[in-house]
Amino acid sequence: MAPTTDGLLSRTPEEGARLLALSYLDQAAAAWPRVHDPEDTEALHDFRVALRRLRSSLRSYGEWVEKSLPRKLRKRLRRLAQSTGPGRDTEVQIEWLRGRSRHLSSYHRAGLQWLLARLEERMRAAYAEMEAELAREFVKVEENLRRRLSVFHTEVHLDGSPHRITLGDVTAKILKEEVAELEKHLAKIGGPEDEEEAHEARIEAKRLRYLLEPLAGEIPGAPLVVKRFKAVQDLLGELHDAHVLETELAQAVETAATERARHLLALSLQGTEDERVIRVAGRRANESGLISLARLNRARRDRLFGDLEESWLNGKADAFLREVEGLLNTPDSPSAPHPPPAPPPS
């Protein structure tokens, strides 16, 4: 039976954080059997999202749950989540590249096909590695996490304390910290080439979305905030894809040129006449197609940065972020949460 997540904000942090984590664990466990169904195209996406949200929740409320979760178990969960990334990331690049075929001349499409063949081979290898890792580890990790998250020790105070710390109090503090982190990274994005800061901003936007999304029904105004964070997360995600692909294309040009040079050298050493060597060189010039793809990708990068700059950079998101900070403000919230109680015995 799935744990309830109703009224989370009024629960204690120990209870609320565990209920959230268990709900994501339930989602991952429900999606896991579907991953093996080749006709279920959404299964892997659902499984990956559940694992990402689980890890994000455990990170956000770490001080309230981490003593119940050994470091080794947290590392195993991280490896599982990371194993689902490379194959899907490569698949996303393949989908974008296939969509560029109509923008290329027939001569340049040879470079596209050469690159797609390389990426498809990489994707198959990544998915095979992922399936082996998940088959070996997921059930054991899921059972271990469920056992440890389902029980905790707490203290009950009978001295009439005026305020009991709640998940809402803790979340309000986390919310302000995450907004500050997002602002810090946004402020450091000066141009479309600032890949690292844009990537960090995307991660922070995702953390804020995941923090608020399961609580949105209890927080007035939160659904619209979540929607805006989802939009900027998608924008920064596509910008990150463009950055990654630019590096991929630069390396591919070098590899293609090296392959062509080696082939031409082999032909020359075999005594092939010069004219045939020149003709072969022209037929195998994949670099020109890759360079055309790089130009298209650069245009995509610059367009995405323009969209980001228009709505999020140079202080344009300040009013929105102040609104986000105040979503959980309450007059009687304590300035800092009490330390979590000791974990149950293992």
Side-chain angles (χ1 to χ4, degrees):
M1 179 178 177
T4 178
T5 55
D6 295 334
L8 280 175
L9 290 176
S10 60
R11 296 174 187 260
T12 65
E14 302 91 343
E15 182 184 11
R18 283 167 173 78
L19 285 171
L20 268 177
L22 285 167
S23 71
Y24 294 138
L25 193 59
D26 286 341
Q27 292 171 22
W32 167 239
R34 297 166 46 214
V35 171
H36 307 291
D37 182 357
E39 296 184 0
D40 192 337
T41 58
E42 296 299 318
L44 180 58
H45 170 76
D46 293 344
F47 183 77
R48 292 182 70 224
V49 169
L51 287 185
R52 284 204 308 264
R53 293 186 183 198
L54 171 60
R55 291 192 64 225
S56 184
S57 177
L58 293 177
R59 175 192 175 277
S60 293
Y61 299 107
E63 65 178 303
W64 303 97
V65 298
E66 66 182 358
K67 291 182 180 179
S68 298
L69 302 178
R71 183 188 298 267
K72 183 177 180 181
L73 179 57
R74 295 198 300 271
K75 285 184 176 179
R76 289 171 70 189
L77 176 61
R78 183 178 70 239
R79 284 198 304 270
L80 281 179
Q82 290 175 341
S83 74
T84 67
R88 178 54 185 160
D89 292 345
T90 304
E91 187 175 357
V92 168
Q93 301 288 19
I94 289 171
E95 289 173 1
W96 186 84
L97 287 166
R98 283 176 176 161
R100 300 319 102 194
S101 178
R102 66 182 183 275
H103 300 291
L104 300 176
S105 68
S106 57
Y107 177 72
H108 287 159
R109 285 176 194 151
L112 171 62
Q113 295 307 315
W114 177 87
L115 179 60
L116 286 174
R118 287 166 55 87
L119 292 178
E120 286 165 357
E121 181 178 356
R122 183 190 303 172
M123 180 181 69
R124 286 190 293 270
Y127 275 140
E129 185 176 346
M130 176 201 74
E131 290 170 2
E133 176 75 12
L134 293 178
R136 185 170 56 247
E137 288 288 316
F138 176 69
V139 172
K140 292 183 288 186
V141 169
E142 188 261 340
E143 291 175 350
N144 204 343
L145 282 169
R146 189 176 301 280
R147 176 171 57 85
R148 291 178 175 276
L149 288 169
S150 296
V151 179
F152 67 95
H153 287 176
T154 189
E155 297 178 358
V156 178
H157 296 271
L158 302 178
D159 57 0
S161 298
H163 185 87
R164 182 193 71 163
I165 192 74
T166 66
L167 187 77
D169 299 325
V170 172
T171 303
K173 179 175 179 289
I174 296 169
L175 192 61
K176 290 180 172 64
E177 293 170 349
E178 297 291 4
V179 166
E181 281 296 305
L182 176 59
E183 285 188 298
K184 180 180 73 174
H185 293 298
L186 288 173
K188 292 181 180 179
I189 302 174
E193 69 284 348
D194 288 332
E195 177 179 355
E196 183 175 350
E197 293 300 336
H199 179 56
E200 292 298 326
R202 179 181 70 88
I203 291 173
E204 286 301 330
K206 178 174 65 176
R207 286 171 177 165
L208 281 160
R209 174 193 165 200
Y210 287 172
L211 182 69
L212 289 171
E213 205 162 36
L215 309 171
E218 301 183 59
I219 307 172
L224 290 177
V225 168
V226 168
K227 186 176 180 180
R228 186 165 179 186
F229 277 132
K230 172 66 164 60
V232 74
Q233 179 190 337
D234 290 345
L235 174 60
L236 287 165
E238 192 175 353
L239 181 60
H240 178 66
D241 291 341
H243 283 136
V244 171
L245 186 57
E246 183 154 311
T247 300
E248 178 74 42
L249 286 165
Q251 294 171 349
V253 168
E254 293 180 8
T255 301
T258 299
E259 287 183 0
R260 183 166 59 91
R262 287 175 177 167
H263 183 68
L264 295 179
L265 176 61
L267 288 176
S268 297
L269 293 176
Q270 291 170 6
T272 305
E273 64 274 14
D274 291 343
E275 287 188 6
R276 185 183 169 200
V277 170
I278 293 171
R279 288 198 303 273
V280 171
R283 288 198 302 270
R284 294 180 59 88
N286 291 322
E287 304 95 295
S288 59
L290 296 173
I291 291 169
S292 292
L293 287 169
R295 289 174 179 155
L296 291 171
N297 186 60
R298 174 62 66 89
R300 171 175 70 148
R301 186 203 71 172
D302 292 347
R303 173 182 55 80
L304 292 166
F305 176 78
D307 293 343
L308 179 68
E309 187 175 36
E310 183 177 352
S311 301
W312 285 87
L313 303 185
N314 304 315
K316 293 174 183 173
D318 286 355
F320 169 70
L321 294 175
R322 299 292 76 77
E323 175 190 342
V324 174
E325 284 183 323
L327 283 175
L328 282 163
N329 279 350
T330 55
D332 58 344
S333 292
S335 58
H338 304 302
S346 55

